Amino acid sequence: MTTSTPPLSIHPEVADARAAGEAVVALESTIISHGLPYPQNVELAREVETIVRANGATPATVAVLDGECCVGLRPDQLERLATEAGVVKATTRDLPWLIATQRTGATTVASTMRLAHRAGVRVFATGGIGGVHRGAGESFDISADLTELSVTPVAVVSAGVKSILDIRLTLERLETLGVPTVVNGSDQFPSFYSRSSGLPAPRRLDGPQALAGMLHATWDELGLSVGVSIANPIPAEYEVPEAEIRGHIEAALADLDAQGITGQDVTPFLLKRVVEGTAGRSLVANLALVRHNAATAAQIAVEYAKLQS
Ligand code: PSU
Ligand code: MN
């Protein structure tokens, strides 16, 4: 499972950690190429890898480089994703095309999960997951992240769902798809910048050990082939009040309609507009919550590795 077979290329450090039964944490790359501005994107990508290591796990950033599906990247490869023009935003359905055309793509939550799973990696840290867009009844715009969570046994640690999406419908969809969804240490489901969303946590567990126990129950005891959504609320000191974000999100959604933006461009457009609108305040929160998720994911991966031995 840990050997590299084209088009899958597993970084030797990741392969060694897997072979030794040690903790590994997957990281996505759409956040680097399409989710954050330069140079914060590459700085964060490096920093998150350091945080994963400091918490006892090996980082494995995932991307497709010239048609090669890489699990674990060298520093120059991270830099390339942060700076190169024309890096494709790649969800699972794009992987075959990237391989066939030897192109370079940044992986979303969905495709990162799929490639992490191929490499035997079970825990993944990100900022926010995709979900059901507002107005999805008309547009049918529901992120493939949710579909992937329903079929691929990887745990995704996020800060919940950004309110550019319809959070209530996203939780409904996760329930329908049978995705275990749990909040770390809170009775509220978080909404990325905020520790609350007005919706209750579907389920709650407190801390890495309890969360790892649930992963063990899901995959090893029940044998379910399903992802697990772990929502990890932003630390209180970095929270941005909902009132401060709401207007910017409404404006961004109105621009989206006015400019006729659809499909894969929707999420990157909204993310960029919110950062611009809040004059970088949302960016500080975004960086903080990703760091926090990386630390929590590494701790969960360490606890889960103990249950495997
Ligand atoms: N939400 C965020 N930041 C992000 C994304 C979502 O707050 O960077 C990215 C993730 O890579 C996620 C993707 O998997 O957007 C979802 O895109 P779409 O809605 O097109 O499925
Ligand atoms: Mn979409």
Side-chain angles (χ1 to χ4, degrees):
M1 190 185 269
T2 54
T3 43
S4 299
T5 317
L8 187 67
S9 169
I10 303 173
H11 192 289
E13 197 192 345
V14 174
D16 287 350
R18 283 284 309 124
E22 291 166 7
V24 179
V25 173
L27 301 158
E28 62 151 306
S29 46
T30 289
I31 189 173
I32 305 173
S33 300
H34 303 279
L36 291 170
Y38 184 84
Q40 284 92 347
N41 55 359
V42 68
E43 286 164 11
L44 182 74
R46 287 195 207 107
E47 201 186 340
V48 161
E49 293 202 348
T50 305
I51 291 168
V52 167
R53 287 183 210 283
N55 284 276
T58 299
T61 304
V62 174
V64 182
L65 296 167
D66 306 315
E68 201 176 23
C69 299
C70 300
V71 178
L73 299 179
R74 298 186 310 264
D76 61 295
Q77 293 173 321
L78 272 189
E79 182 77 30
R80 206 182 139 184
L81 288 165
T83 53
E84 200 170 286
V87 176
V88 175
K89 174 183 163 191
T91 187
T92 303
R93 65 109 191 242
D94 300 307
L95 294 175
W97 179 80
L98 287 173
I99 294 163
T101 59
Q102 303 195 325
R103 276 193 171 72
T104 295
T107 50
T108 64
V109 168
S111 49
T112 303
M113 286 179 75
R114 185 66 66 105
L115 294 176
H117 175 56
R118 297 281 298 194
V121 178
R122 308 309 292 265
V123 180
F124 163 21
T126 186
I129 58 169
V132 180
H133 281 262
R134 299 196 198 180
E138 280 295 315
S139 68
F140 275 42
D141 192 349
I142 301 176
S143 176
D145 292 356
L146 302 187
T147 325
E148 196 68 41
L149 277 162
S150 72
V151 292
T152 298
V154 168
V156 182
V157 179
S158 75
V161 176
K162 215 171 246 175
S163 54
I164 57 171
L165 302 173
D166 189 318
I167 302 176
R168 190 178 64 80
L169 295 190
T170 301
L171 287 172
E172 286 291 353
R173 194 79 198 120
L174 285 168
E175 182 186 338
T176 302
L177 292 168
V179 178
T181 301
V182 61
V183 180
N184 182 25
S186 172
D187 294 319
Q188 302 286 314
F189 189 77
S191 59
F192 200 84
Y193 299 115
S194 171
R195 294 178 59 81
S196 59
S197 61
L199 294 161
R203 300 290 174 214
R204 171 186 176 156
L205 284 172
D206 291 67
Q209 205 177 351
L211 289 160
M214 197 180 103
L215 301 185
H216 185 61
T218 305
W219 300 323
D220 308 313
E221 295 178 331
L222 287 168
L224 299 178
S225 182
V226 70
V228 174
S229 175
I230 299 174
N232 195 34
I234 184 171
E237 62 269 36
Y238 292 107
E239 232 181 336
V240 182
E242 172 62 22
E244 208 172 298
I245 295 283
R246 195 182 306 128
H248 298 294
I249 287 178
E250 301 298 340
L253 289 165
D255 286 353
L256 186 78
D257 272 350
Q259 297 186 29
I261 290 165
T262 57
Q264 287 191 295
D265 298 333
V266 169
T267 299
F269 177 86
L270 293 173
L271 297 177
K272 188 159 168 277
R273 275 304 158 91
V274 173
V275 172
E276 289 166 357
T278 59
R281 177 141 153 70
S282 68
L283 185 57
V284 174
N286 198 338
L287 301 178
L289 65 86
V290 174
R291 292 186 193 107
H292 182 231
N293 293 343
T296 303
Q299 292 157 13
I300 295 168
V302 166
E303 291 300 328
Y304 184 66
K306 287 183 198 163
L307 296 173
Q308 300 302 98
S309 53

